[in-house]
Amino acid sequence: MTYTVSGANFNKDVAAQGTSINYKENKAVKSEGVAGSFAGVVISGSVTAATDNTYEGLLKEADDVKSQIMASASSAKISLKALMMKLSGADAVKLDEDGFNLTDATPDDMVNIIEKIKIELAMHSDDYVNYGTAVSKDKIESVTGSAATAASVESRMQGADIAVNDESVAEVKSTLEKSKELKPLSENTKNYMVANGIEPSIAGIYQAQAATSSSISADGVTIGRCVNAISDADFEALRPGIEKIIASSGLEVNDNTLADARAFIDAQIPVTKENLEYKAQLDAIDIEKIQADPDEMLNKILDNMKLGGKAENTLVTGSPIDDIRTALDTINRAEYSDVANVVSKGETFTIASLKLEMDARSFRIEYSAASVSTGNSEVRNQASDVQQAADKAYDTLVTARVLMSANASVYLVKNNISILTTPIDELNLMLMEYEQADGMYEEAQIAYTDVLEARKTLNEIVRNPARVFASMFDKMNETYEAVGTQIRGDLGDSLKKAVQGSADDIIKELGLEGTDEDKEAIKILAANNMDMTKENVETVKSVNAMINNLIKNMKPETVLNMIKDGVNPMNASIEEVNEYLTEANDKASKDNEEKFSKFLYKLDRTNGITKEQRKQFIGIYQMMNIFTRDAGVAAGALIKQGAEVTMNNLMTAYNSRKHYDMDAVIDENTGMAEVSGIANYYSALFMANGGLVTPNTLKNVDNSSGIGEQSVEMFIEQLEDNFDAAAEEQYYEEYLKEQQAAVQAGADILRQIRNADTEINSGNIQAVKAFLESGQFPDIRGVKTTRDYARDSIEKIGHKEKLSLMYEEMKDETEEELQEVLSKAGDLDTQIDVNYEGFLDLRLKDRTIGYIKNLALRHDYRIPYITDSGSTGMLKLTLVQDDDNKGRISVNMLSSVLGKVSVEAKADRESLGMYIVSDTAVSDEGIQLLDDMEESLKEVFGFTNVSVNTTKSSDVPYVTYEAAADSVATDKLYEIAAQIVKQLAG
């Protein structure tokens, strides 16, 4: 039996930080106050990092990154580089499968991504190996005492996804040594642990045994029977109440449990259900047995460390990972009859009680409503009540299946929730709060319960595809398979052999190609007693493909967006849901950029690929990962024309649709409604298998059997056969190293990104860092170029609206340039040739313009202009104004006469003061320029006094204002700025 430890803290090192592992729960609203209208003047070159708890804290490298990953990024002082360092090549392959976007992930997103990947791999893969920072086997041998054990520790630490370095090895060493010093638990030690709520961890037991070496603990708790021990008569008087408490805890009332209760009273420990349960758990701990199996102890330590805990806080009572695995396995394998049997016995509906029923399933007669006697009304009412209770409990189980992911399970364990013995409905309530913590549903104004019910419906579709078959065949058969697309076990080996033996004959008779999809469809038709026709095979294949698409893409946020967009999975067909998912994939531009970028990274580093293959591979990738809807429609068009759906034919049809910009919507007006099911099938097939399309896989397929003449289904089989996960991991190892280097940034860069109200993420760090280092305006190459914008930009300075429109146009240009490459790089009839570095430049350019556009919203401008020499330069302009109509203007640019200058102008209603720092001495021509500027400002704006002060400095700073975003500069201030810039430019 598993007991809940009263007062124990599963993971003190995490809980002490006061945060949950779920970053959503810890997102704090960050605000930046400004003291006074002109407070916070910052001069570049002399920046003092802010002391707020926002992004500068991310610069601090974590000594114990793994444990801090489990806390929120809002409180953990951890950089994006440190977070990236926790990802291995295997993690990155999993990232691709789950569609995570590292380039646009914020630190909070990264914490959640890493947490999810690590936990899911730990839950589901026994052979997962993390290639972390290496440490010598000699170092490990010094810890473990033997070369054989050292090799085992290293591989097991890597397999547990724990960084193998001096610190982690030392932590394991210290904990293993401490575990060897533990002694069998005395009654005094157990009572001390109960009294003080000390968890049964290595450190907890070590502490308790040290404290109980004397009769009085350090906290003053008397150990053993005190002087004023309860008398026999008094104990007998209390005994009836004590026995009730013992019974309520699920323990047997006997001499041992009564003795425990009496010892509690003597030691002034409350006799409660929780304390008695915990004492029974401590009684079951056999220290000598634990110490006799050091491998098992090491397993427990590694399990705790990979969930983010310290080694010394490892519980000796069991592995939390084992509990999580048990919980996930139980809720996903449980059947209605198991639920009904638990309920009919009046037991509390927990995962533990459900598992007991499942374990006993082969030794009992299963409950069914029909087995209850209906001889009288009382029995009928009882049967009805049990049926209703079973239905309600099964709905609770379905809810748990949707909510209890590996991540969510760890969240519960980290919060000291016993996931096996807590009622499942209580677990569901906790997880509902967990999912709603970030306000996503409230912001969308969609009820969380509506989304949850839709997810439950979709989950049942995935688990019970026979229901979908029934609706599509317009009939219901009681022998339809109810638990997935496997042949039912009760059909026996004879049917399995019959299907396997006759499959080839059926395939030949129906004129099928004999792909795995064909064989699976025949198996399902046989298992469900359906007619073996080509049409039925195609229908089953279509349903299977769409269900696989649902499994891969149906996330809570997807369901939320679906309902927002008017597609309710509760009453939509699976075809409608699949079509929505396909369209949503086409719209996910940032994510598509990320996926395509990584494909190009690997393509550039895959040897033995010809120029023609490169073009073909890019086209196949785009078709199966980005424009899956167009590809599905192209396949439908081939079917309508009676053409074979080979890869060559599909690529030609796909490129033709894109070339002529044909509408991809299939409806009655297009004449293709009759093949819409085929289009949905192929779209779903592409989305479900797009992750297999890598350069190395494509090269291997093409070299072994050729791509062009294969059918699409056979091609996908070849992808599965040739996908090499180990090779993909190696590509990602190098990719992650480059990402780690790319996201390093100083406090000034992070401050400038933050001040522009731009997200801190890898893409923006790389973009802003490159922009600041170059000092050049991005090279836009759309319909209008940077030089086109530069020709009349100074004229726009006097008009805020024109400046805003200019940045809008620039952002449209960079987005269109990026999308042009993203959509047409694989077209056989285009001259677009792109590699990873070139595509990365396009992505960073787009993000840079986005950053510049955001700066402009706070009256802080970066403006291209034509210099006196005819080249394209960039000037910086910031404006800020207070409520008294006093304004400040800051300009940094290259002047035709004064050289590089930084100007700060302060204006009120009647006067203007200018302070100019120049990198050259002011010549006679410069003096004349300043005199002319003074007179023109007086004349145009009516100032009675204009003063100009100049100084020479080799270091020309740029003055900006923290308060710029909070002010509203007047049209006059913009006009003054334009006049100053015009005269400086010459």
Side-chain angles (χ1 to χ4, degrees), residues 253-300:
V253 178
N254 55 32
D255 290 343
N256 290 332
T257 52
L258 287 170
D260 285 340
R262 185 162 188 161
F264 283 1
I265 295 172
D266 289 347
Q268 301 176 32
I269 300 170
V271 180
T272 64
K273 171 179 176 288
E274 291 76 19
N275 284 346
L276 288 168
E277 286 179 345
Y278 186 28
K279 174 59 166 57
Q281 185 182 22
L282 295 175
D283 286 339
I285 295 175
D286 187 338
I287 295 295
E288 292 179 341
K289 182 179 180 181
I290 292 171
Q291 291 173 331
D293 190 352
D295 279 351
E296 180 61 23
M297 177 56 70
L298 181 59
N299 285 338
K300 292 178 186 294

Side-chain angles (χ1 to χ4, degrees), residues 513 515 645-647 682 707-716:
E513 189 175 7
T515 62
V645 188
T646 64
M647 289 300 293
Y682 280 103
I707 291 176
E709 297 307 315
Q710 291 193 62
S711 71
V712 171
E713 291 174 344
M714 190 61 73
F715 169 69
I716 288 175

Side-chain angles (χ1 to χ4, degrees), residues 110-327:
M110 282 292 293
V111 168
N112 196 45
I113 289 169
I114 294 172
E115 176 185 296
K116 177 178 173 61
I117 294 300
K118 300 292 189 186
I119 291 170
E120 289 195 353
L121 286 172
M123 291 297 107
H124 303 298
S125 177
D126 292 331
D127 58 357
Y128 170 49
V129 176
N130 172 47
Y131 301 93
T133 305
V135 65
S136 69
K137 285 187 173 66
D138 291 342
K139 174 72 72 174
I140 298 177
E141 186 174 343
S142 72
V143 171
T144 59
S146 76
T149 307
S152 173
V153 170
E154 180 185 37
S155 63
R156 285 162 68 181
M157 288 180 73
Q158 288 178 338
D161 195 23
I162 298 168
V164 183
N165 52 46
D166 290 348
E167 291 76 14
S168 61
V169 169
E171 187 178 354
V172 172
K173 173 182 178 180
S174 173
T175 302
L176 285 173
E177 289 179 347
K178 191 172 288 186
S179 71
K180 294 174 184 177
E181 296 177 24
L182 301 181
K183 302 176 181 63
L185 293 177
S186 66
E187 289 300 304
N188 283 354
T189 299
K190 295 173 191 175
N191 288 342
Y192 178 81
M193 293 175 70
V194 172
N196 291 279
I198 296 174
E199 63 184 357
S201 64
I202 295 171
I205 295 173
Y206 188 88
Q207 170 198 344
Q209 291 185 334
T212 55
S213 58
S214 62
S215 61
I216 305 294
S217 75
D219 294 334
V221 175
T222 303
I223 305 303
R225 297 191 66 176
C226 62
V227 176
N228 297 318
I230 188 171
S231 67
D232 291 343
D234 287 343
F235 184 74
E236 285 302 316
L238 294 173
R239 182 166 174 163
I242 291 172
E243 289 182 350
K244 286 184 179 179
I245 296 173
I246 294 173
S248 72
S249 67
L251 300 172
E252 182 181 348
V253 178
N254 55 32
D255 290 343
N256 290 332
T257 52
L258 287 170
D260 285 340
R262 185 162 188 161
F264 283 1
I265 295 172
D266 289 347
Q268 301 176 32
I269 300 170
V271 180
T272 64
K273 171 179 176 288
E274 291 76 19
N275 284 346
L276 288 168
E277 286 179 345
Y278 186 28
K279 174 59 166 57
Q281 185 182 22
L282 295 175
D283 286 339
I285 295 175
D286 187 338
I287 295 295
E288 292 179 341
K289 182 179 180 181
I290 292 171
Q291 291 173 331
D293 190 352
D295 279 351
E296 180 61 23
M297 177 56 70
L298 181 59
N299 285 338
K300 292 178 186 294
I301 290 171
L302 297 182
D303 277 352
N304 194 55
M305 291 178 72
K306 67 185 173 185
L307 290 184
K310 289 183 178 178
E312 66 176 11
N313 288 341
T314 299
L315 299 177
V316 301
T317 50
S319 166
I321 282 187
D322 288 343
D323 283 353
I324 294 170
R325 281 183 174 140
T326 297

Side-chain angles (χ1 to χ4, degrees), residues 679-953:
N680 281 333
Y681 165 61
Y682 280 103
S683 294
L685 197 65
F686 296 148
M687 286 188 70
N689 294 281
L692 299 172
V693 181
T694 71
N696 186 63
T697 308
L698 291 171
K699 183 185 78 170
N700 291 338
V701 171
D702 202 29
N703 290 344
S704 64
S705 55
I707 291 176
E709 297 307 315
Q710 291 193 62
S711 71
V712 171
E713 291 174 344
M714 190 61 73
F715 169 69
I716 288 175
E717 280 190 30
Q718 290 292 311
L719 291 178
E720 293 172 348
D721 293 341
N722 286 274
F723 183 80
D724 186 346
E728 301 304 322
E729 289 175 21
Q730 291 302 311
Y731 285 118
Y732 278 122
E733 290 293 341
E734 296 303 316
Y735 176 79
L736 290 171
K737 287 178 183 177
E738 292 188 16
Q739 289 294 304
Q740 291 160 14
V743 297
Q744 294 185 81
D748 184 51
I749 291 174
L750 294 179
R751 180 183 63 81
Q752 295 204 45
I753 295 174
R754 181 192 65 201
N755 285 349
D757 291 326
T758 301
E759 282 190 337
I760 297 288
N761 59 43
S762 172
N764 288 334
I765 288 175
Q766 293 180 68
V768 174
K769 183 165 63 172
F771 174 56
L772 296 178
E773 288 173 354
S774 74
Q776 300 294 315
F777 200 87
D779 184 17
I780 299 172
R781 297 182 182 181
V783 176
K784 290 181 69 174
T785 65
T786 297
R787 192 164 182 83
D788 292 331
Y789 288 109
R791 289 190 176 96
D792 60 354
S793 62
I794 292 179
E795 295 297 328
K796 291 185 173 72
I797 291 176
H799 308 278
K800 178 182 177 181
E801 295 77 12
K802 291 183 179 180
L803 281 176
S804 297
L805 181 59
M806 178 178 74
Y807 293 122
E808 292 286 349
E809 291 177 355
M810 288 178 173
K811 190 67 170 70
D812 289 343
E813 292 281 6
T814 57
E815 287 179 354
E816 288 174 11
E817 186 179 3
L818 188 59
Q819 289 304 311
E820 176 83 1
V821 173
L822 186 64
S823 63
K824 296 184 178 180
D827 289 4
L828 301 178
D829 55 352
T830 67
Q831 300 301 313
I832 296 176
D833 188 16
V834 65
N835 58 22
Y836 170 74
E837 294 297 335
F839 191 66
L840 177 62
D841 287 344
L842 292 177
R843 298 181 75 197
L844 297 186
K845 183 197 304 183
D846 182 57
R847 283 159 175 77
T848 303
I849 294 298
Y851 164 75
I852 291 172
K853 179 184 173 184
N854 286 348
L855 280 178
L857 296 176
R858 64 189 306 277
H859 317 298
D860 193 1
Y861 299 94
R862 304 296 181 269
I863 302 172
Y865 73 107
I866 305 298
T867 67
D868 185 55
S869 64
S871 62
T872 303
M874 180 180 71
L875 65 87
K876 303 173 185 177
L877 170 68
T878 306
L879 304 95
V880 62
Q881 193 146 2
D882 67 9
D883 294 336
D884 296 327
N885 213 30
K886 294 180 180 179
R888 291 189 186 187
I889 299 168
S890 174
V891 179
N892 186 281
M893 63 181 293
L894 186 65
S895 168
S896 60
V897 176
L898 300 177
K900 185 177 181 180
V901 296
S902 177
V903 180
E904 184 181 16
K906 301 179 181 180
D908 57 26
R909 289 182 177 84
E910 298 181 352
S911 63
L912 176 72
M914 293 178 60
Y915 306 88
I916 301 176
V917 179
S918 171
D919 66 349
T920 59
V922 180
S923 63
D924 290 343
E925 186 181 4
I927 293 173
Q928 184 60 52
L929 171 66
L930 296 176
D931 287 343
D932 292 344
M933 185 184 297
E934 180 180 337
E935 290 303 315
S936 66
L937 289 169
K938 287 180 179 179
E939 179 180 344
V940 175
F941 299 103
F943 291 121
T944 58
N945 180 45
V946 174
S947 62
V948 179
N949 298 283
T950 64
T951 185
K952 177 180 177 296
S953 174

